[in-house]
Amino acid sequence: MTTEAGNRFVLEVVDPATGCIVYDAEVHDLLKLCKVLDLDPAEMEPGADYEFDAAQMALIIGALGLEHAALGITGVLRPWGRLDQLPYKVHTNRELLMMLAGTKPLAVFHDCHPSRRPPFEVIPENFYAPYVESGRFIMREVIAPSTDPRTTLGVRTVLYALPTEQWRIDAYLLLRQTGFKYGWSETCERMEGSLLGYTDEQNDIFIERIYRTKV
């Protein structure tokens, strides 16, 4: 871990009831965190995520003086990434709480089909199920067969929308179908962001700082 990015980590505090991030902070003193948890920093693999249970998180919160002091909370230590440079929080791993607050109209999850990982690890259906059953969210599942002759794995997409925003499901699926057929573009990227609930200003920033730098 010799590069600047390789020495930067983000600690995410996760609500076990929703699987959502409720607080995050950049960790500037990795050695101190490792000492608290009795970990050898030399054995930490660059690019790996580390999950902490509630007891470990209580030690971390106290040692690092973090503002979030909730009990019974879990956490993840992950490498700093390009999206962390944005001046707003991306929706990833915050979708359910945002939808419950009415600030996110549509959430979309993808996994290979059949999945090669344990149930609900990629698509958090168990967290969303009660709200689908109560009618608070609308759910749609789409399974696309493999187009690669080298594999039989297809793609399973699960979409959740607020009842008044369910038109976004069809719009999103049409956008993805059109983009993959004729080529994904900056316009497609912007439309996808808008359908997922990002503001025009946030889309402008993402396009400028992330999308244009990787194409």
Side-chain angles (χ1 to χ4, degrees):
M1 293 182 287
T2 58
T3 66
E4 179 184 359
N7 283 316
R8 300 175 70 178
F9 290 84
V10 176
L11 181 68
E12 298 176 338
V13 181
V14 180
D15 173 19
T18 61
C20 290
I21 300 168
V22 291
Y23 178 83
D24 61 2
E26 187 168 334
V27 175
H28 299 283
D29 194 341
L30 183 62
L31 293 178
K32 183 176 182 179
L33 184 146
C34 289
K35 183 177 181 179
V36 169
L37 298 175
D38 195 24
L39 298 175
D40 183 353
E43 296 181 357
M44 297 184 68
E45 299 181 10
D49 293 350
Y50 293 86
E51 298 182 1
F52 301 124
D53 59 25
Q56 292 172 313
M57 282 303 299
L59 294 174
I60 294 172
I61 289 171
L64 299 184
L66 301 180
E67 299 173 6
H68 198 286
L71 299 177
I73 212 98
T74 59
V76 175
L77 182 71
R78 63 167 177 80
W80 184 92
R82 296 176 69 226
L83 293 178
D84 293 308
Q85 68 178 281
L86 297 172
Y88 62 88
K89 301 295 184 183
V90 297
H91 296 181
T92 305
N93 296 327
R94 295 180 172 88
E95 296 97 338
L96 179 53
L97 284 178
M98 294 181 69
M99 290 191 70
L100 291 174
T103 58
K104 183 172 178 63
L106 175 71
V108 182
F109 302 93
H110 305 281
D111 192 11
C112 58
H113 181 76
S115 179
R116 293 178 291 186
R117 302 177 69 177
F120 312 128
E121 187 169 320
V122 177
I123 302 177
E125 296 170 74
N126 55 334
F127 290 120
Y128 283 80
Y131 305 104
V132 173
E133 293 172 4
S134 68
R136 193 165 179 181
F137 297 158
I138 303 298
M139 174 186 171
R140 178 91 60 86
E141 175 191 63
V142 177
I143 297 176
S146 173
T147 57
D148 187 341
R150 296 170 297 179
T151 179
T152 59
L153 291 175
V155 176
R156 179 171 179 256
T157 300
V158 177
L159 308 93
Y160 298 96
L162 301 179
T164 57
E165 303 288 344
Q166 60 180 305
W167 62 269
R168 293 175 185 261
I169 294 179
D170 290 323
Y172 182 91
L173 293 173
L174 179 60
L175 171 65
R176 298 288 289 189
Q177 181 182 14
T178 303
F180 287 138
K181 184 174 182 178
Y182 298 104
W184 195 257
S185 65
E186 183 174 306
T187 299
C188 293
E189 194 76 25
R190 186 179 296 278
M191 289 179 65
E192 181 181 50
S194 296
L195 288 172
L196 292 173
Y198 289 96
T199 66
D200 289 341
E201 181 182 7
Q202 289 170 340
N203 284 327
D204 289 341
I205 295 172
F206 179 84
I207 293 293
E208 180 65 31
R209 300 189 186 182
I210 305 297
Y211 181 79
R212 289 178 180 170
T213 62
K214 67 179 182 181
V215 295

